[in-house]
Amino acid sequence: MLPVTGEIDLHPFAPRDVVSVVAEYLDECRRRGILTVRLAHGRGKGVQRAAIRRLLADRDDVASFEDESPAWGGWGATVVHLK
């Protein structure tokens, strides 16, 4: 089990696993009352970012999400606000 701190670096995970890892991580954060979550997916070509944002848009428990501030990774990380 990963430490649940409200921030996860997705670089160590295989690309095919990232969406399911994010879904499970968000579920666990919500269970623990962590309602702001930072997902570090990297910049690259934007494939992981797009897949994660599709997941976030489909989840009823996501209030909003946006790119991290430029000083903390910009579009290489997504900040999620859970309901």
Side-chain angles (χ1 to χ4, degrees):
M1 179 79 170
L2 295 169
V4 180
T5 62
E7 181 170 353
I8 184 170
D9 181 357
L10 299 167
H11 291 91
F13 298 96
R16 69 180 176 275
D17 297 332
V18 167
V19 171
S20 63
V21 167
V22 168
E24 291 176 28
Y25 192 77
L26 292 176
D27 290 344
E28 190 58 32
C29 283
R30 196 162 187 308
R31 273 193 286 280
R32 294 178 185 216
I34 300 170
L35 301 180
T36 300
V37 182
R38 183 177 186 272
L39 308 171
H41 43 69
R43 293 184 181 148
K45 295 179 181 178
V47 174
Q48 293 298 335
R49 178 180 180 264
I52 289 167
R53 285 175 173 234
R54 280 191 299 274
L55 167 73
L56 297 174
D58 288 341
R59 287 182 62 114
D60 291 334
D61 62 344
V62 172
S64 66
F65 57 90
E66 69 270 346
D67 289 340
E68 179 61 274
S69 69
W72 292 97
W75 62 276
T78 298
V79 177
V80 182
H81 302 281
L82 298 171
K83 295 178 185 175

